[in-house]
Amino acid sequence: MTKVCDHCGEEKPLKLCSKCKLARYCGHDCQASAWKTHKKECKKATQEGAAAERFVVPGNATWANGLSPDKQYEWLCDCYRMRMDDAYCWGGGELRGVMNPEATPESVSTELFVFCKLAVKNKVVPPHWNWEAFLAKAIGLVIYAFEKSDAKEKYGRENVFSVFMGGRSLRATGETIYGSSVTGDSDATNENAFLDAVESCMLFGDHEDSEDYDRRTDDGSEDNGDNVTSNHEEEKRNICANVGGIAIWENFVEQLTQNPGPNLAHW
């Protein structure tokens, strides 16, 4: 994972801003030059970080303790990315996310959406979560693969047993979200149910173009499409209700389509 100076953009040995611990600079000159624009962001991040450290999140969301909201969004997104990599490395070579050579913006969005739905169901998402901010962070991350070596470089360590010592682990959190380890037998009932629901309402696709689209009403008569479209829209709103609403997910797919990154460039 390449790290560059937040001011000059050059790849050099970096030091973190001593206040917010987020911005990276290659030296004092760049940090001083960037301060005018970074000052406001730094103050906000420092305050959010202090608030997050004081707030103790219970249960399956304990991974969020000590992280600012922005870092929480990034960490959970990295949890999703590492699970996609684990599916390949430890799950029998299963190709998911951007690792699938046939991946599209819609398929990647579906994978992330189901991940989020499972995270909510299994109470892994901390209180006061902002889904729009999460997706804004995810759009620049999900287009790249992320493996254990990246996690070690980024977070200093990645050990599934860290949670037993009061730490956090991307892999362990992924196991909580999906209800299984990648290598073990898993009950994919909930995951498949969400996948079926996404496909049923054509959440990330146009039902007009689908071969599975059925214009018949419950009594078997032909429908002009208005009722079916209305039902699909209602299903979309319902399934998106606890993960930020349909608008932000439609916007996410649109952004992913416009900026697919190197791994979706074939699409």
Side-chain angles (χ1 to χ4, degrees):
M1 180 182 295
T2 302
K3 295 180 180 179
V4 298
C5 176
D6 287 340
H7 181 66
C8 69
E10 293 189 21
E11 186 177 352
K12 299 179 179 179
L14 304 174
K15 292 185 178 180
L16 292 174
C17 171
S18 60
K19 291 188 176 181
C20 69
K21 310 295 185 184
L22 298 177
R24 298 183 176 93
Y25 301 106
C26 62
H28 176 74
D29 290 343
C30 276
Q31 183 176 17
S33 298
W35 179 244
K36 185 175 182 180
T37 54
H38 176 60
K39 182 178 180 179
K40 185 176 181 180
E41 176 185 323
C42 183
K43 181 179 180 180
K44 180 181 178 182
T46 302
Q47 291 174 341
E48 289 178 344
E53 289 172 1
R54 291 194 300 269
F55 185 76
V56 178
V57 181
N60 289 342
T62 54
W63 62 266
N65 287 325
L67 296 177
S68 69
D70 185 67
K71 284 302 179 182
Q72 289 176 6
Y73 305 141
E74 185 170 356
W75 196 90
L76 193 62
C77 187
D78 287 344
C79 177
Y80 155 79
R81 293 198 293 162
M82 188 165 170
R83 180 70 180 205
M84 296 299 101
D85 182 76
D86 280 349
Y88 174 73
C89 295
W90 304 104
E94 185 179 5
L95 297 172
R96 301 181 63 172
V98 295
M99 300 186 71
N100 184 347
E102 298 181 357
T104 66
E106 289 78 15
S107 69
V108 172
S109 298
T110 298
E111 290 269 22
L112 181 63
F113 181 84
V114 171
F115 170 87
C116 293
K117 290 289 290 186
L118 290 169
V120 171
K121 181 177 179 60
N122 291 313
K123 297 179 171 51
V124 173
V125 179
H128 314 299
W129 189 259
N130 185 322
W131 284 107
E132 186 173 10
F134 168 76
L135 289 181
K137 176 66 68 174
I139 196 66
L141 296 175
V142 298
I143 56 178
Y144 300 104
F146 188 84
E147 56 189 38
K148 186 174 181 177
S149 61
D150 295 319
K152 286 183 175 180
E153 180 180 347
K154 188 172 187 177
Y155 297 110
R157 64 182 300 175
E158 170 49 39
N159 189 321
V160 70
F161 299 108
S162 295
V163 294
F164 300 112
M165 298 177 284
R168 60 176 66 89
S169 163
L170 296 168
R171 183 170 289 160
T173 302
E175 292 178 355
T176 300
I177 290 172
Y178 285 94
S180 68
S181 67
V182 177
T183 57
D185 293 333
S186 63
D187 180 1
T189 302
N190 291 326
E191 183 178 1
N192 289 336
F194 287 135
L195 281 170
D196 290 343
V198 169
E199 293 174 3
S200 174
C201 68
M202 308 298 172
L203 180 59
F204 298 119
D206 186 351
H207 62 255
E208 298 282 358
D209 297 330
S210 173
E211 295 179 359
D212 297 327
Y213 179 63
D214 190 353
R215 288 183 178 277
R216 294 185 177 277
T217 59
D218 291 338
D219 62 7
S221 60
E222 288 288 339
D223 184 40
N224 62 10
D226 292 340
N227 291 334
V228 178
T229 300
S230 177
N231 290 338
H232 275 290
E233 292 304 314
E234 183 176 358
E235 290 174 9
K236 288 180 181 180
R237 286 193 294 271
N238 289 338
I239 195 174
C240 293
N242 65 348
V243 286
I246 186 173
I248 64 171
W249 283 97
E250 289 179 337
N251 181 62
F252 180 81
V253 179
E254 182 179 349
Q255 289 188 57
L256 199 57
T257 302
Q258 294 174 353
N259 303 285
N263 295 304
L264 289 176
H266 65 275
W267 173 80

